[in-house]
């Protein structure tokens, strides 16, 4: 079965608020994690990544947090915008650049 | 930089028919992946190529699915014969390992409907 999963399948957030999307993984040997955004009718798009030797990484309006103790990953989106509406996937790298994806969280931004 | 190209974008076939999908990765990307994404799920890796060699095809249903990347650039994925449960989006991705990132770049996918 899948070793990477998201806590909630859907998330509704008010425009301008911060969003937090959670992900749990089970393979403690995973050393690299990626968050992808997938809009309707498109392929997944890279958002941000983090290696297991880090616990936090920031990008433009996004922050990824990694807690290896509880095998938990989260994506924070600051000042959520309508264009952030999409399905968000976390993926873990197991070996040889193979990624294992979770089921995804659908984020809907309310105006 | 041009992205990963896939064709066709949509395909509708009847069960037991054959279908083929084409992928052109980003220029210079040695690694190419095919994923199957069933509605409501995350992508599932089917096969991974490094240049023209197969790295991993453990999740490929080899009795009906085949893939090739003969010249180490373009790739085709074939299903013969198709089953109803093959209805999904087939995503192609490519990457250039060794740049400090395992980022995979995805194409728009081919949506297959098997009736």
């Amino acid at each position: 079965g899948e070793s990477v999963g998201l806590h909630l399948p859907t998330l509704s957030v008010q425009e301008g608020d911060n969003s937090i999307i959670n992900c749990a993984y089970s393979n403690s040997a995973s050393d690299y994690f990626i968050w992808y955004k997938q809009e309707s009718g498109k392929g997944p798009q890279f958002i941000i990544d983090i290696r297991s030797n880090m616990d936090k990484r920031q990008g433009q309006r996004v922050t990824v947090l990694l807690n290896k103790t509880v095998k938990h990953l989260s994506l924070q989106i600051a000042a959520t915008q309508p264009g952030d509406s999409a399905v968000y996937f976390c993926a873990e790298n197991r070996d040889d650049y193979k990624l294992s994806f979770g089921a995804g969280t659908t984020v809907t931004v309310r105006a | 930089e041009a992205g990963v190209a896939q064709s066709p974008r949509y395909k509708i076939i009847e069960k037991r028919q054959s279908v083929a999908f084409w992928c052109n990765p980003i220029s210079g990307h040695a690694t190419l992946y095919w994923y199957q994404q069933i509605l409501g799920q995350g992508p599932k890796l089917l096969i991974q190529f490094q240049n023209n060699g197969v790295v991993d095809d453990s999740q490929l249903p080899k009795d009906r699915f085949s893939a090739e990347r003969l010249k180490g650039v373009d790739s085709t994925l074939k299903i013969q014969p198709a089953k109803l449960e093959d209805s999904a989006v087939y995503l192609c991705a490519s990457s250039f390992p060794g740049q400090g990132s395992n980022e995979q770049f995805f194409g728009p996918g081919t949506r297959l409907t098997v009736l």
Side-chain angles (χ1 to χ4, degrees), chain A residues 11-19 79-82 107-111:
Chain A
L11 176 67
S12 180
V13 60
Q14 185 71 36
E15 181 179 358
D17 287 352
N18 296 334
S19 303
T80 310
Q81 302 170 358
V107 173
T108 302
V109 181
R110 305 188 307 272

Side-chain angles (χ1 to χ4, degrees), chain A residues 32 34 36 38 41-44 46 49 51 89 93 96-99 101-103, chain B residues 9 33 35 37 40 42-43 45 48 56 91 97 100-104 106-108:
Chain A
Y32 178 70
I34 305 179
Y36 279 93
Q38 187 174 26
K42 298 182 179 180
F46 175 92
D49 59 2
R51 297 199 173 275
F89 294 97
N93 180 74
D96 293 332
Y97 307 107
K98 289 192 288 288
L99 294 178
F101 286 79
Chain B
R9 291 296 313 276
Y33 312 80
Y35 288 86
Q37 186 175 24
L45 180 68
Q48 176 187 353
D56 182 2
L91 295 162
S101 167
N102 293 0
E103 181 180 354
Q104 295 180 18
F106 284 82

Side-chain angles (χ1 to χ4, degrees), chain B residues 57-75:
Chain B
D57 62 357
S58 58
Q59 299 296 311
L60 189 72
K62 299 180 186 63
D63 58 333
R64 298 184 301 106
F65 286 64
S66 64
E68 60 183 15
R69 194 185 184 200
L70 294 177
K71 297 182 179 180
V73 180
D74 294 7
S75 177

Side-chain angles (χ1 to χ4, degrees), chain A residues 27-46:
Chain A
N27 190 342
S28 56
S30 296
D31 60 359
Y32 178 70
F33 303 88
I34 305 179
W35 280 100
Y36 279 93
K37 171 186 180 183
Q38 187 174 26
E39 296 175 277
S40 181
K42 298 182 179 180
Q45 179 185 11
F46 175 92

Side-chain angles (χ1 to χ4, degrees), chain B residues 47-97:
Chain B
I47 188 167
Q48 176 187 353
F49 290 94
Q50 180 74 16
N51 296 309
N52 62 349
V54 175
V55 174
D56 182 2
D57 62 357
S58 58
Q59 299 296 311
L60 189 72
K62 299 180 186 63
D63 58 333
R64 298 184 301 106
F65 286 64
S66 64
E68 60 183 15
R69 194 185 184 200
L70 294 177
K71 297 182 179 180
V73 180
D74 294 7
S75 177
T76 56
L77 176 69
K78 297 179 181 178
I79 307 175
Q80 179 180 9
K83 293 185 175 182
L84 297 177
E85 58 261 35
D86 297 333
S87 294
V89 175
Y90 291 85
L91 295 162
C92 179
S94 69
S95 68
F96 188 65

